Each structure stands twice: as C-alpha cells, then as structure tokens.
Amino acid sequence: MDDGEKKQVRDDFAEAVNMPPAAIEKFLDTEESKLVGQKKGGGESVGHASGRRIVEIKRTKQADLTDDDYAHMKKVVSYVRRHLAQGGPKDDAEHSDWRYSLMNWGHDPLKD
C-alpha cells in the first residue's frame, strides 16, 4: 500500500470512527455492548473485539501503524458504511441493537 492509499484509509477511518477511544472503552464495558454481534464459539463478539482493536489503533502514532492495522481500519470503514446504508430502526434507534453494534465498531450513528 503506497502513501496515498494509506492516507485515504486513515481519512476514511477518521470519518467512520466518530467516537474517541475513552468513549469506545466505556461503551465496551456495558451490557448493551456485550449483547450484540456475532460470537465465535460463544466468546467475545467480532464487533466487541474490533472495538478494542480500534482503541489501540487510535492510540497508535501514525508512523507506527502496521499493514495489519491498515487492513483492520479498512474492515471498520466497510462495516460502518454497510450498516449505515442499511439504516436503523424507525422507532427507538437510540436503544437499538443496530446502534449498539455500530458503537462496538467506534461509530455512534446519533452523534453529529
């Protein structure tokens, strides 16, 4: 991946992840966070694990980001865009699994 592609991934990631690391960590500690998402083998959900990884990436200096970090950033952007395009529930989006799932991935759809 060349520098231009890396910049695009960072820009897309910054747009998709609209929650600061501390807010993501706080949300990951809630029951709402732990109840949503696909779980592999009955353990932690994919989104919950992704949220922990997002916090690490957001706290990593740009120069120290690895190819694996960039791959995860692209995965996050794809997930957020796909779920936003699906749209949330018409009633009570604030307390919906749709919102909670997105928040596991660092995006609060109710945040401006």
Side-chain angles (χ1 to χ4, degrees):
M1 185 179 301
D2 67 28
D3 289 345
E5 290 171 311
K6 287 181 178 180
K7 182 184 182 324
Q8 186 63 56
V9 170
R10 287 192 308 271
D11 290 349
D12 291 346
F13 182 77
E15 183 179 316
V17 178
N18 67 357
M19 295 170 67
I24 297 170
E25 285 178 321
K26 184 176 179 181
F27 179 70
L28 291 174
D29 284 339
T30 67
E31 282 305 308
E32 291 82 0
S33 170
K34 295 171 185 162
L35 290 174
V36 296
Q38 296 179 348
K39 294 175 175 62
K40 292 182 178 176
E44 181 180 35
S45 73
V46 174
H48 197 271
S50 178
R52 290 186 300 101
R53 179 82 189 276
I54 290 164
V55 169
E56 290 173 15
I57 290 170
K58 287 188 68 93
R59 290 185 172 151
T60 300
K61 292 180 186 171
Q62 178 180 315
D64 294 335
L65 292 170
T66 66
D67 289 345
D68 199 43
D69 291 333
Y70 279 101
H72 191 74
M73 291 162 76
K74 287 173 78 169
K75 182 178 178 179
V76 170
V77 170
S78 294
Y79 181 91
V80 169
R81 287 179 176 168
R82 188 170 60 252
H83 281 73
L84 287 176
Q86 290 172 355
K90 301 218 182 306
D91 297 322
D92 200 19
E94 182 178 355
H95 301 101
S96 67
D97 287 353
W98 173 77
R99 178 181 182 222
Y100 298 150
S101 183
L102 276 164
M103 288 175 72
N104 274 347
W105 289 78
H107 183 87
D108 185 348
L110 302 183
K111 186 176 178 185
D112 293 342

